[in-house]
Amino acid sequence: MDAISECLHYKSHFGGSTAELNYLDAFEDGFLALWQATASFMLEAKEARPVHAYLNSNSTFTLLQRVTDYLRRELQVPQYSGVFTSESEFDQDTQRLFAESLGNRLFSKISKVKVSLEKLLETIESTDEIKVSFSVFEGIN
């Protein structure tokens, strides 16, 4: 999970040529799929002490921070700050952002992140031995 978190962080701060970005898109897709598989495994192995130790550590908070950074970049949140005067204007721009996403990649990436977070939340909720802070729990939720 830490490696996946690091890759999400790397992608959030990378800029390069089109060829490099195409390679990075394939790399990113692979890591999002790996994260989904890892989240599924953690749910299946939720009674294992190493899973408890990992999720009870600061790693869950770090992962959540990286996911937030990743989603902000993907959704171009810095560009949104104070730009919109109405909710309808915000909705239109959000629809444009998804419409301009080649091959519906943005929706696909966000869906993969959502599924992974749902599995992580289910693991935490269903295991008494896993304790995360309220802010981390709410951030995942």
Side-chain angles (χ1 to χ4, degrees), residues 41-84:
F41 170 76
M42 290 180 84
L43 181 58
E44 292 171 16
K46 66 185 178 183
E47 299 304 326
R49 287 186 182 189
V51 171
H52 302 169
Y54 179 81
L55 292 177
N56 285 332
S57 72
N58 199 41
S59 297
T60 308
F61 178 71
T62 301
L63 176 65
L64 188 58
Q65 284 183 314
R66 296 284 165 79
V67 168
T68 301
D69 290 346
Y70 174 77
L71 291 175
R72 283 183 176 171
R73 187 193 61 75
E74 292 298 312
L75 295 171
Q76 301 174 8
V77 171
Q79 296 177 15
Y80 284 161
S81 300
V83 171
F84 301 104

Side-chain angles (χ1 to χ4, degrees), residues 5-126:
S5 176
E6 288 297 321
C7 288
L8 290 175
H9 180 68
Y10 176 74
K11 171 70 182 196
S12 296
H13 296 82
F14 180 83
S17 69
T18 301
E20 290 170 327
L21 290 173
N22 287 340
Y23 173 77
L24 200 55
D25 283 345
F27 182 73
E28 175 187 29
D29 289 343
F31 268 97
L32 288 172
L34 177 61
W35 188 29
Q36 280 186 295
T38 302
S40 293
F41 170 76
M42 290 180 84
L43 181 58
E44 292 171 16
K46 66 185 178 183
E47 299 304 326
R49 287 186 182 189
V51 171
H52 302 169
Y54 179 81
L55 292 177
N56 285 332
S57 72
N58 199 41
S59 297
T60 308
F61 178 71
T62 301
L63 176 65
L64 188 58
Q65 284 183 314
R66 296 284 165 79
V67 168
T68 301
D69 290 346
Y70 174 77
L71 291 175
R72 283 183 176 171
R73 187 193 61 75
E74 292 298 312
L75 295 171
Q76 301 174 8
V77 171
Q79 296 177 15
Y80 284 161
S81 300
V83 171
F84 301 104
T85 57
S86 70
E87 189 174 329
S88 65
E89 189 180 359
F90 173 79
D91 288 344
Q92 289 172 353
D93 197 59
T94 301
Q95 289 174 10
R96 176 203 53 79
L97 187 64
F98 279 88
E100 290 175 358
S101 174
L102 296 175
N104 212 12
R105 278 190 50 77
L106 182 58
F107 182 78
S108 175
K109 290 189 285 189
I110 290 174
S111 294
K112 288 176 183 178
V113 169
K114 181 180 181 225
V115 166
S116 298
L117 288 174
E118 286 170 346
K119 289 182 188 288
L120 180 60
L121 181 64
E122 186 177 346
T123 301
I124 292 168
E125 286 182 322
S126 65

